[in-house]
Amino acid sequence: MREKIIQKSAELFLTLGFKSVTMDDIANEMAISKKTIYVHFANKTKLVEAVTFEVFENICEGIDGICNTSLNPIQQLYDIKLFVMHHLRNEKTSPQYQLKKYYPQIYQRLHLKQFEKMHDSVKESLQKGIDTELFRPNINVDFISRMYFNGMTGIKDDTYFPSELYTMEYLMESYLEYHLRAIVTQKGLLILNQFITTNQP
């Protein structure tokens, strides 16, 4: 039952927002009593916390799978972008922004875990790109990895990139191209241009 509650809550939070979904809403959607939810979660904050880290773990598993099977680091980044876009396809409410505003402590913990995960996998990917001569040999792998994380999380901030001006797909696509153009070699640029052409909406 705990897993079912997390699953349904994740669906509602990502679609309607952390703030607007109440425990009553979740109970009604699942046709169970609110007491049943409280057996597993002491309060809404505990439920939000469980949902947040469950979604994070699911995304991490998917990204690990892509990292193990991608042909090259450029394809890997595009595959991860598609996976994340598909996973968050029902987002209507900028959940990261709401999490930061209404549950700052959970957001801080999530942000740190995201950084640790992304920093390691991006560094590995950058090094692979250098080894295969797709990325410039003189780039600072640690610095670029930190910059990439900063940019990818920054574009999700509705304050600076309002959703009425930019879709998340546009932001991710544009930032990915911006990032890769700065580090590719001539050989890498040929592959990048192929992906840009095939990913044009």
Side-chain angles (χ1 to χ4, degrees):
M1 180 53 78
R2 181 185 162 87
E3 274 309 306
K4 283 181 182 171
I5 294 168
I6 289 175
Q7 217 171 352
K8 177 52 75 178
S9 303
E11 205 179 288
L12 292 171
F13 288 148
L14 288 178
T15 309
L16 303 168
F18 288 106
K19 180 84 168 80
S20 52
V21 176
T22 65
M23 297 297 247
D24 283 314
D25 294 331
I26 296 161
N28 291 338
E29 275 286 323
M30 295 185 72
I32 58 173
S33 74
K34 206 159 62 166
K35 278 183 184 172
T36 307
I37 300 175
Y38 285 119
V39 167
H40 299 279
F41 303 98
N43 50 49
K44 187 180 169 185
T45 303
K46 289 288 180 195
L47 177 58
V48 167
E49 183 180 45
V51 167
T52 299
F53 290 103
E54 176 90 1
V55 169
F56 172 72
E57 289 302 330
N58 289 342
I59 289 176
C60 284
E61 274 179 36
I63 289 172
D64 285 343
I66 291 166
C67 291
N68 294 332
T69 55
S70 286
L71 295 174
N72 62 64
I74 295 172
Q75 184 194 342
Q76 183 180 310
L77 285 175
Y78 274 94
D79 287 347
I80 289 171
K81 185 210 76 156
L82 286 172
F83 169 76
V84 171
M85 287 305 301
H86 175 73
H87 202 87
L88 303 177
R89 69 193 178 281
N90 294 325
E91 279 193 12
K92 308 272 192 302
T93 53
S94 186
Q96 291 247 24
Y97 181 71
Q98 285 208 358
L99 198 63
K100 188 178 184 178
K101 189 173 178 184
Y102 300 110
Y103 300 93
Q105 287 178 311
I106 296 172
Y107 173 81
Q108 282 302 332
R109 282 177 51 215
L110 175 68
H111 200 62
L112 194 60
K113 278 180 86 80
Q114 283 175 328
F115 171 70
E116 287 164 357
K117 172 71 185 171
M118 206 163 164
H119 187 47
D120 286 341
S121 74
V122 172
K123 276 204 305 187
E124 206 175 293
S125 174
L126 288 167
Q127 192 54 56
K128 193 175 168 186
I130 292 169
D131 296 342
T132 52
E133 298 178 351
L134 296 177
F135 299 158
R136 290 185 289 109
N138 60 339
I139 61 171
N140 182 328
V141 167
D142 187 73
F143 173 73
I144 300 283
S145 173
R146 290 170 191 272
M147 286 293 288
Y148 183 71
F149 176 78
N150 206 38
M152 266 300 180
T153 49
I155 60 173
K156 289 176 184 159
D157 193 325
D158 207 54
T159 311
Y160 307 113
F161 298 98
S163 53
E164 59 270 19
L165 289 182
Y166 301 106
T167 64
M168 187 46 67
E169 184 143 18
Y170 173 83
L171 289 170
M172 286 183 80
E173 187 75 38
S174 301
Y175 183 69
L176 194 50
E177 182 181 343
Y178 173 79
H179 162 72
L180 284 167
R181 280 194 184 280
I183 60 172
V184 289
T185 57
Q186 203 56 41
K187 180 181 169 185
L189 186 60
L190 292 172
I191 294 173
L192 174 59
N193 283 335
Q194 285 173 355
F195 273 98
I196 291 167
T197 307
T198 54
N199 276 269
Q200 289 299 335

